Amino acid sequence: MRRLVSLLLLAVLLAACQKTEPVPKDPAPPSQLNIFALQEMQDSGFEAAVFREFASQNNTTLALSHFSDLPSLLSALAKDENQGRVDLVLGLNSAFAILDSLLEPFSPLPEISLLEISHDIPREPQQRLIPYAQAHLALLYNSKAFPNPPQSFGELQDARYYSQMAITDASKDGLGRASLLWSVALFGENGYDKLWSSLRKNVRRVYSDRWEALDALRRDECKLMLGFHCTPAWIEEFYPSEIHIKASIPQEGSFRYVESAAVPKDAPNRDVALEFLRNLISSETQQFVIFKLGLLPVNGRTPLPRQFSRIPLSVYATNDRLEQDLVKENLPAWLDRWNYLVNRIPGF
């Protein structure tokens, strides 16, 4: 009997000494971010550097849809099957967003602080657009072929530049649309028509986007291009053997180009989208705007590589010459006329 009691007591003591393993808790489910973006975000490496890193750090899964151009993106966004499904849209450039109707699907974002955004970046009054990249339009040229480039649009019409210039499609590409608006801002409704009529002989080809046109300039397929003033700095950073590609801002003035992101009104994961936007305009992430997109950051605290720090900080832009009501009323006619003028140029 005594032995039985001893065994029972020992069993109780052993049970008390055993460690109780905690029941593992289920991990928190990842958040979701459904993004509509232009294909260049993936092709440039910006997506891998920024999107994937954000997803990893914030336990977020990404559902990405890519589009070749902004009209295709906006058309998809308007489809019934995408209502209430998209959280974030990137690639909304200022040349298209000059029409307020483009912004109707998007929500005001007062939660996003723009205090670190450079004061000269235009603000959309309702803050539906969050800018993340900028540039000014300029003439890019091969300095080996033209050591003394044209200094004005008047000189650019000269016959010595016959079939030497690349432009991009104003119907679909942000740079192309900005180039058209630039010409109207400089020369008015009548003058822009005369300008493009005179320039047409000097246009070698109409390219689908700025990257395709820039590749043509780098391959020496063409020797002039309407592009961005910061592109030569990007080339010098990554392709030092091509530093003969330079930029010149015409005497008449430049035109500001801004790329922005927005959140649809019916975004299912608004809080995650807001967090992404805060990360997008941080000085750390803004460096990828330089290295991947080849544009200038909008966050004034972003460190600039040596080549970019030499770009003039103050550039005379002519955007304010275009009143929104004038653009709203006449843009379809301007585009039709532009299409008519260039429809015999290769690539169009």
Side-chain angles (χ1 to χ4, degrees):
M1 184 68 179
R2 183 179 298 174
R3 184 178 181 184
L4 178 60
V5 172
S6 299
L7 290 174
L8 289 174
L9 181 59
L10 180 61
V12 171
L13 291 173
L14 289 174
C17 291
Q18 288 180 348
K19 293 183 179 180
T20 303
E21 294 293 334
V23 178
K25 295 181 179 180
D26 292 334
S31 57
Q32 174 85 16
L33 199 58
N34 303 301
I35 301 175
F36 273 20
L38 299 183
Q39 183 62 44
E40 71 167 335
M41 290 290 180
Q42 184 180 61
D43 295 343
S44 67
F46 188 81
E47 180 181 303
V50 175
F51 292 29
R52 305 296 179 186
E53 181 68 16
F54 175 84
S56 174
Q57 293 183 356
N58 292 271
N59 193 28
T60 299
T61 60
L62 299 177
L64 290 153
S65 299
H66 301 101
F67 300 88
S68 59
D69 53 61
L70 187 54
S72 299
L73 185 156
L74 295 173
S75 177
L77 186 66
K79 291 182 178 179
D80 289 341
E81 61 263 31
N82 289 322
Q83 302 308 299
R85 191 179 74 83
V86 182
D87 299 305
L88 190 65
V89 174
L90 285 92
L92 298 167
N93 65 76
S94 54
F96 278 81
I98 195 170
L99 294 180
D100 195 61
S101 57
L102 179 142
L103 305 181
E104 289 177 0
F106 303 111
S107 171
L109 303 172
E111 303 95 328
I112 303 296
S113 171
L114 301 182
L115 290 177
E116 293 188 356
I117 302 301
S118 299
H119 65 87
D120 59 334
I121 303 292
R123 265 54 167 186
E124 192 272 317
Q126 297 186 45
Q127 199 166 305
R128 290 169 291 185
L129 295 178
I130 304 301
Y132 61 82
Q134 62 161 326
H136 280 86
L137 268 63
L139 177 67
L140 306 184
Y141 64 97
N142 183 329
S143 62
K144 293 180 178 178
F146 300 116
N148 299 305
Q151 298 298 312
S152 68
F153 278 101
E155 290 184 22
L156 189 58
Q157 299 171 45
D158 194 274
R160 73 188 181 108
Y161 303 117
Y162 178 78
S163 192
Q164 295 292 336
M165 187 168 66
I167 61 174
T168 59
D169 188 352
S171 300
K172 297 180 178 181
D173 179 61
L175 170 61
R177 178 72 59 90
S179 299
L180 172 60
L181 294 176
W182 187 19
S183 67
V184 178
L186 288 174
F187 303 107
E189 290 190 78
N190 296 323
Y192 95 94
D193 186 295
K194 295 177 182 178
L195 174 69
W196 286 104
S197 295
S198 298
L199 285 180
R200 180 171 55 175
K201 69 180 184 303
N202 291 347
V203 176
R204 181 175 184 84
R205 185 175 173 185
V206 181
Y207 294 88
S208 62
D209 57 46
R210 68 181 177 104
W211 294 107
E212 188 181 30
L214 181 59
D215 284 345
L217 181 62
R218 293 173 56 203
R219 292 194 308 268
D220 207 28
E221 181 179 307
C222 58
K223 294 179 172 59
L224 300 165
M225 171 188 167
L226 293 181
F228 295 134
H229 77 314
C230 51
T231 297
W234 179 81
I235 288 176
E236 186 176 352
E237 182 75 24
F238 293 101
Y239 305 99
S241 64
E242 300 176 20
I243 58 173
H244 57 277
I245 296 177
K246 307 291 186 182
S248 173
I249 294 179
Q251 295 172 350
E252 296 92 342
S254 183
F255 198 81
R256 183 187 289 277
Y257 173 93
V258 179
E259 284 189 9
S260 300
V263 175
K265 294 175 181 177
D266 55 2
N269 301 290
R270 178 185 173 91
D271 289 344
V272 186
L274 293 175
E275 194 59 35
F276 181 91
L277 290 175
R278 294 186 185 99
N279 177 74
L280 181 64
I281 61 176
S282 68
S283 59
E284 295 80 11
T285 301
Q286 284 278 288
Q287 294 185 66
F288 292 107
V289 168
I290 302 171
F291 295 119
K292 299 301 182 181
L293 298 181
L295 298 172
L296 287 172
V298 297
N299 187 321
R301 298 183 179 182
T302 308
L304 296 175
R306 179 176 57 86
Q307 291 81 358
F308 278 78
S309 64
R310 296 201 299 262
I311 298 173
L313 295 177
S314 179
V315 177
Y316 173 57
T318 57
N319 300 61
D320 58 0
R321 296 186 189 179
L322 286 176
E323 296 182 1
Q324 190 177 77
D325 289 343
L326 179 69
V327 177
K328 183 177 181 180
E329 180 179 352
N330 294 285
L331 182 58
W334 296 341
L335 285 169
D336 285 345
R337 182 59 179 165
W338 185 88
N339 289 337
Y340 173 79
L341 290 172
V342 303
N343 67 357
R344 292 185 178 86
I345 298 173
F348 189 74

